[in-house]
Amino acid sequence: MVDVLALVEARLRTALGEPDARAAVTFLGTDRVEVLRFREGDILRYATLGMSARPMADPGAMLADPVEGPRAELVLSVRGGAADTDKLLRPLAVLAASPQVEGVIVAPGASLDVGGPLWPGAPFTSVLVAEPGGLVEDLDLDEPLDPVRFLPLLPMTPNEAAWKRVHGAQALQERWLASGTDLRDPSRRSVPLD
C-alpha cells in the first residue's frame, strides 16, 4: 500500500517550502495528526498531516471503506507577529481528527467550530472550509484511492459563522471580498453584515 502521508508531506514541501516547526497530537482512538508550520515572509501557514491517512467515511454508512472515499488535509494562513497563533496547533489537529472522531466528511462550504478561540485572544471560534487547488494542488493517488485535497481554512468570527448559516458560504465570501477583508489578519474584526 502506498504511503499516503509521505506523498502528502512531499507535496506540502514542494508547494510551501521547508517547515520551520512541527507538532504532533494524538487523540484517544485516532491516528496521530501532525501540524507543520511554514513561513513565507510575514505569513505563517499551518498544514495538517495525518487527516488523509484514511478516507473520510459517509456518516450514514454502516462500515467505513478503508480504501475509497475523499481524503483531505487542512491549511490555515495567518499573518505572523500580531498574535500567539502557534497555539492554534491543537485546535487545528482537533479539526483534522474530526472525520475519525465524529464520522464527518470535511468539504468546501462547511463550517468547523472549535468551541473556543482558535488561539488565545482570537476573535475566531470557527473556520469556513474554502475551495482547494489554489495554494497547494490536489495530490493524485493510484486508483482506487481518491486524490488528497488541501482545503484552505478561513477564520470566522461568531457573527460571521451565524450569518453564514443563514445566507451560505458563497454569500459570506462575497461580503469578505466586497469589504476588502484581509482574512490572514489574526485580529481582524467581523465584516459588516447589515
Side-chain angles (χ1 to χ4, degrees), residues 52-94:
S52 62
R54 298 183 198 195
M56 293 181 274
D58 180 349
M62 290 294 286
L63 291 172
D65 188 321
V67 177
E68 294 185 48
R71 294 175 188 261
E73 295 291 352
L74 308 175
V75 181
L76 191 148
S77 299
V78 67
R79 200 169 305 289
D84 191 5
T85 56
D86 281 347
K87 295 286 197 287
L88 75 79
L89 299 177
R90 185 169 179 78
L92 199 52
V94 167

Short mmCIF file of all heavy atoms in Angstrom, two decimals, residues 52-94:
data_model
loop_
_atom_site.label_atom_id
_atom_site.label_comp_id
_atom_site.label_asym_id
_atom_site.label_seq_id
_atom_site.Cartn_x
_atom_site.Cartn_y
_atom_site.Cartn_z
N SER A 52 -5.35 12.68 6.00
CA SER A 52 -5.55 11.96 4.74
C SER A 52 -5.09 10.50 4.79
O SER A 52 -5.20 9.79 3.79
CB SER A 52 -4.80 12.68 3.61
OG SER A 52 -3.41 12.71 3.88
N ALA A 53 -4.59 10.04 5.93
CA ALA A 53 -4.12 8.66 6.04
C ALA A 53 -5.25 7.67 5.75
O ALA A 53 -5.03 6.59 5.21
CB ALA A 53 -3.52 8.39 7.41
N ARG A 54 -6.46 8.06 6.13
CA ARG A 54 -7.65 7.24 5.87
C ARG A 54 -8.68 8.08 5.12
O ARG A 54 -8.77 9.29 5.35
CB ARG A 54 -8.30 6.80 7.18
CG ARG A 54 -7.47 5.94 8.05
CD ARG A 54 -8.29 5.54 9.24
NE ARG A 54 -7.45 5.06 10.31
CZ ARG A 54 -7.91 4.40 11.33
NH1 ARG A 54 -9.21 4.16 11.44
NH2 ARG A 54 -7.11 3.97 12.28
N PRO A 55 -9.47 7.44 4.28
CA PRO A 55 -10.54 8.22 3.63
C PRO A 55 -11.62 8.61 4.63
O PRO A 55 -11.84 7.90 5.61
CB PRO A 55 -11.08 7.25 2.57
CG PRO A 55 -10.67 5.89 3.00
CD PRO A 55 -9.43 6.05 3.83
N MET A 56 -12.24 9.74 4.39
CA MET A 56 -13.37 10.15 5.23
C MET A 56 -14.56 9.29 4.85
O MET A 56 -14.79 9.01 3.67
CB MET A 56 -13.67 11.64 5.01
CG MET A 56 -12.56 12.54 5.52
SD MET A 56 -12.90 14.30 5.30
CE MET A 56 -12.30 14.54 3.62
N ALA A 57 -15.31 8.88 5.85
CA ALA A 57 -16.43 7.96 5.63
C ALA A 57 -17.75 8.69 5.70
O ALA A 57 -17.92 9.62 6.49
CB ALA A 57 -16.39 6.84 6.66
N ASP A 58 -18.69 8.23 4.89
CA ASP A 58 -20.05 8.74 4.93
C ASP A 58 -20.64 8.42 6.30
O ASP A 58 -20.65 7.27 6.72
CB ASP A 58 -20.87 8.07 3.83
CG ASP A 58 -22.31 8.54 3.79
OD1 ASP A 58 -22.75 9.22 4.73
OD2 ASP A 58 -23.00 8.22 2.81
N PRO A 59 -21.12 9.45 7.03
CA PRO A 59 -21.65 9.20 8.37
C PRO A 59 -22.82 8.22 8.37
O PRO A 59 -23.08 7.58 9.38
CB PRO A 59 -22.11 10.57 8.85
CG PRO A 59 -21.59 11.57 7.89
CD PRO A 59 -21.15 10.85 6.66
N GLY A 60 -23.51 8.08 7.24
CA GLY A 60 -24.65 7.17 7.18
C GLY A 60 -24.29 5.74 6.82
O GLY A 60 -25.13 4.85 6.89
N ALA A 61 -23.03 5.49 6.47
CA ALA A 61 -22.61 4.14 6.06
C ALA A 61 -22.47 3.24 7.28
O ALA A 61 -22.04 3.68 8.35
CB ALA A 61 -21.30 4.21 5.30
N MET A 62 -22.81 1.98 7.10
CA MET A 62 -22.69 1.01 8.19
C MET A 62 -21.22 0.75 8.52
O MET A 62 -20.85 0.65 9.68
CB MET A 62 -23.38 -0.30 7.82
CG MET A 62 -24.88 -0.20 7.75
SD MET A 62 -25.61 0.13 9.35
CE MET A 62 -25.44 -1.45 10.12
N LEU A 63 -20.39 0.62 7.49
CA LEU A 63 -18.96 0.38 7.66
C LEU A 63 -18.18 1.39 6.84
O LEU A 63 -18.56 1.72 5.73
CB LEU A 63 -18.59 -1.04 7.20
CG LEU A 63 -19.12 -2.20 8.03
CD1 LEU A 63 -18.82 -3.52 7.33
CD2 LEU A 63 -18.48 -2.19 9.41
N ALA A 64 -17.07 1.84 7.41
CA ALA A 64 -16.20 2.77 6.68
C ALA A 64 -15.36 1.99 5.68
O ALA A 64 -14.80 0.95 6.01
CB ALA A 64 -15.30 3.51 7.66
N ASP A 65 -15.28 2.49 4.45
CA ASP A 65 -14.44 1.87 3.43
C ASP A 65 -13.00 2.24 3.72
O ASP A 65 -12.67 3.42 3.79
CB ASP A 65 -14.86 2.37 2.04
CG ASP A 65 -14.17 1.63 0.90
OD1 ASP A 65 -12.97 1.32 1.04
OD2 ASP A 65 -14.83 1.36 -0.11
N PRO A 66 -12.10 1.26 3.90
CA PRO A 66 -10.72 1.58 4.24
C PRO A 66 -9.88 2.10 3.06
O PRO A 66 -8.76 2.54 3.25
CB PRO A 66 -10.16 0.25 4.75
CG PRO A 66 -10.98 -0.78 4.05
CD PRO A 66 -12.34 -0.18 3.86
N VAL A 67 -10.43 2.04 1.84
CA VAL A 67 -9.67 2.42 0.66
C VAL A 67 -10.28 3.62 -0.06
O VAL A 67 -9.61 4.62 -0.30
CB VAL A 67 -9.54 1.23 -0.32
CG1 VAL A 67 -8.80 1.64 -1.58
CG2 VAL A 67 -8.83 0.06 0.36
N GLU A 68 -11.54 3.52 -0.43
CA GLU A 68 -12.18 4.57 -1.23
C GLU A 68 -12.89 5.59 -0.37
O GLU A 68 -13.45 5.26 0.67
CB GLU A 68 -13.15 3.93 -2.22
CG GLU A 68 -12.45 3.08 -3.27
CD GLU A 68 -13.41 2.57 -4.32
OE1 GLU A 68 -14.20 3.38 -4.84
OE2 GLU A 68 -13.35 1.37 -4.61
N GLY A 69 -12.88 6.82 -0.84
CA GLY A 69 -13.53 7.91 -0.14
C GLY A 69 -12.67 9.15 -0.19
O GLY A 69 -11.47 9.08 -0.48
N PRO A 70 -13.25 10.32 0.08
CA PRO A 70 -12.50 11.57 -0.01
C PRO A 70 -11.39 11.64 1.05
O PRO A 70 -11.55 11.16 2.16
CB PRO A 70 -13.56 12.65 0.22
CG PRO A 70 -14.69 11.96 0.88
CD PRO A 70 -14.64 10.53 0.47
N ARG A 71 -10.27 12.23 0.65
CA ARG A 71 -9.14 12.45 1.56
C ARG A 71 -8.77 13.93 1.51
O ARG A 71 -8.86 14.55 0.45
CB ARG A 71 -7.92 11.63 1.12
CG ARG A 71 -8.12 10.13 1.23
CD ARG A 71 -6.93 9.38 0.66
NE ARG A 71 -7.18 7.97 0.58
CZ ARG A 71 -6.76 7.07 1.48
NH1 ARG A 71 -6.03 7.47 2.50
NH2 ARG A 71 -7.05 5.80 1.34
N ALA A 72 -8.35 14.46 2.65
CA ALA A 72 -8.02 15.88 2.69
C ALA A 72 -7.03 16.17 3.81
O ALA A 72 -6.87 15.40 4.74
CB ALA A 72 -9.29 16.71 2.90
N GLU A 73 -6.38 17.32 3.68
CA GLU A 73 -5.59 17.94 4.73
C GLU A 73 -6.04 19.40 4.80
O GLU A 73 -6.63 19.92 3.85
CB GLU A 73 -4.09 17.86 4.45
CG GLU A 73 -3.51 16.46 4.43
CD GLU A 73 -3.46 15.75 5.79
OE1 GLU A 73 -3.74 16.39 6.84
OE2 GLU A 73 -3.14 14.55 5.80
N LEU A 74 -5.79 20.05 5.92
CA LEU A 74 -6.24 21.41 6.16
C LEU A 74 -5.06 22.38 6.16
O LEU A 74 -3.98 22.04 6.65
CB LEU A 74 -6.95 21.49 7.52
CG LEU A 74 -8.07 20.46 7.73
CD1 LEU A 74 -8.60 20.55 9.16
CD2 LEU A 74 -9.18 20.65 6.72
N VAL A 75 -5.27 23.57 5.61
CA VAL A 75 -4.23 24.60 5.56
C VAL A 75 -4.83 25.92 6.02
O VAL A 75 -5.85 26.35 5.50
CB VAL A 75 -3.66 24.76 4.13
CG1 VAL A 75 -2.57 25.82 4.12
CG2 VAL A 75 -3.13 23.44 3.59
N LEU A 76 -4.19 26.54 7.00
CA LEU A 76 -4.65 27.84 7.50
C LEU A 76 -3.49 28.82 7.41
O LEU A 76 -2.39 28.53 7.88
CB LEU A 76 -5.14 27.71 8.96
CG LEU A 76 -5.88 28.91 9.51
CD1 LEU A 76 -6.93 28.46 10.50
CD2 LEU A 76 -4.95 29.91 10.17
N SER A 77 -3.73 29.97 6.80
CA SER A 77 -2.71 31.01 6.63
C SER A 77 -3.07 32.22 7.47
O SER A 77 -4.23 32.65 7.49
CB SER A 77 -2.62 31.44 5.16
OG SER A 77 -2.26 30.35 4.34
N VAL A 78 -2.06 32.76 8.17
CA VAL A 78 -2.30 33.92 9.03
C VAL A 78 -1.03 34.78 9.05
O VAL A 78 0.08 34.27 8.89
CB VAL A 78 -2.72 33.45 10.45
CG1 VAL A 78 -1.58 32.74 11.15
CG2 VAL A 78 -3.24 34.58 11.29
N ARG A 79 -1.23 36.07 9.24
CA ARG A 79 -0.10 36.99 9.33
C ARG A 79 0.55 36.81 10.70
O ARG A 79 -0.12 36.86 11.72
CB ARG A 79 -0.60 38.43 9.15
CG ARG A 79 0.47 39.40 8.75
CD ARG A 79 -0.10 40.74 8.31
NE ARG A 79 -1.09 40.68 7.25
CZ ARG A 79 -0.86 40.39 5.97
NH1 ARG A 79 0.36 40.11 5.59
NH2 ARG A 79 -1.83 40.36 5.08
N GLY A 80 1.85 36.59 10.71
CA GLY A 80 2.57 36.33 11.95
C GLY A 80 2.92 37.60 12.71
O GLY A 80 2.91 38.69 12.16
N GLY A 81 3.22 37.43 14.00
CA GLY A 81 3.73 38.52 14.82
C GLY A 81 2.70 39.31 15.60
O GLY A 81 3.04 39.97 16.56
N ALA A 82 1.43 39.25 15.21
CA ALA A 82 0.42 40.07 15.88
C ALA A 82 -0.36 39.30 16.94
O ALA A 82 -1.11 39.89 17.71
CB ALA A 82 -0.56 40.65 14.86
N ALA A 83 -0.21 37.98 16.99
CA ALA A 83 -0.93 37.15 17.95
C ALA A 83 -0.17 35.85 18.15
O ALA A 83 0.69 35.49 17.33
CB ALA A 83 -2.35 36.87 17.44
N ASP A 84 -0.50 35.13 19.22
CA ASP A 84 0.16 33.87 19.52
C ASP A 84 -0.51 32.74 18.73
O ASP A 84 -1.13 31.84 19.30
CB ASP A 84 0.11 33.59 21.03
CG ASP A 84 1.00 32.45 21.45
OD1 ASP A 84 1.74 31.92 20.59
OD2 ASP A 84 0.96 32.07 22.63
N THR A 85 -0.37 32.80 17.41
CA THR A 85 -1.08 31.86 16.55
C THR A 85 -0.53 30.44 16.63
O THR A 85 -1.21 29.50 16.20
CB THR A 85 -1.05 32.34 15.08
OG1 THR A 85 0.31 32.52 14.68
CG2 THR A 85 -1.82 33.63 14.92
N ASP A 86 0.67 30.25 17.19
CA ASP A 86 1.18 28.88 17.32
C ASP A 86 0.32 28.05 18.28
O ASP A 86 0.38 26.82 18.26
CB ASP A 86 2.63 28.87 17.79
CG ASP A 86 3.60 29.16 16.65
OD1 ASP A 86 3.18 29.13 15.47
OD2 ASP A 86 4.78 29.43 16.94
N LYS A 87 -0.50 28.71 19.07
CA LYS A 87 -1.39 27.99 19.97
C LYS A 87 -2.57 27.36 19.22
O LYS A 87 -3.38 26.66 19.80
CB LYS A 87 -1.92 28.92 21.06
CG LYS A 87 -0.86 29.44 22.01
CD LYS A 87 -0.42 28.36 22.97
CE LYS A 87 0.32 28.86 24.17
NZ LYS A 87 1.65 29.33 24.02
N LEU A 88 -2.68 27.61 17.92
CA LEU A 88 -3.78 27.02 17.16
C LEU A 88 -3.43 25.59 16.71
O LEU A 88 -4.25 24.92 16.09
CB LEU A 88 -4.20 27.89 15.98
CG LEU A 88 -3.37 27.99 14.72
CD1 LEU A 88 -3.57 26.80 13.80
CD2 LEU A 88 -3.79 29.23 13.98
N LEU A 89 -2.25 25.10 17.06
CA LEU A 89 -1.86 23.76 16.65
C LEU A 89 -2.85 22.71 17.14
O LEU A 89 -3.28 21.84 16.38
CB LEU A 89 -0.44 23.43 17.15
CG LEU A 89 0.67 24.34 16.63
CD1 LEU A 89 2.00 23.97 17.25
CD2 LEU A 89 0.75 24.30 15.12
N ARG A 90 -3.21 22.77 18.41
CA ARG A 90 -4.14 21.77 18.96
C ARG A 90 -5.54 21.90 18.33
O ARG A 90 -6.10 20.90 17.90
CB ARG A 90 -4.18 21.85 20.47
CG ARG A 90 -5.03 20.74 21.08
CD ARG A 90 -4.88 20.65 22.59
NE ARG A 90 -5.69 19.62 23.15
CZ ARG A 90 -5.42 18.33 23.12
NH1 ARG A 90 -4.32 17.91 22.54
NH2 ARG A 90 -6.24 17.44 23.64
N PRO A 91 -6.14 23.11 18.29
CA PRO A 91 -7.45 23.21 17.63
C PRO A 91 -7.43 22.73 16.17
O PRO A 91 -8.37 22.09 15.72
CB PRO A 91 -7.79 24.70 17.71
CG PRO A 91 -7.03 25.20 18.89
CD PRO A 91 -5.77 24.39 18.92
N LEU A 92 -6.34 23.00 15.47
CA LEU A 92 -6.24 22.54 14.08
C LEU A 92 -6.17 21.02 14.02
O LEU A 92 -6.79 20.39 13.16
CB LEU A 92 -5.02 23.18 13.43
CG LEU A 92 -4.96 23.21 11.91
CD1 LEU A 92 -6.20 23.80 11.29
CD2 LEU A 92 -3.72 23.97 11.44
N ALA A 93 -5.43 20.42 14.94
CA ALA A 93 -5.36 18.95 14.99
C ALA A 93 -6.73 18.36 15.35
O ALA A 93 -7.12 17.31 14.82
CB ALA A 93 -4.31 18.51 16.01
N VAL A 94 -7.47 19.03 16.22
CA VAL A 94 -8.83 18.57 16.57
C VAL A 94 -9.71 18.57 15.32
O VAL A 94 -10.45 17.60 15.06
CB VAL A 94 -9.46 19.47 17.67
CG1 VAL A 94 -10.95 19.22 17.80
CG2 VAL A 94 -8.75 19.25 19.00
#
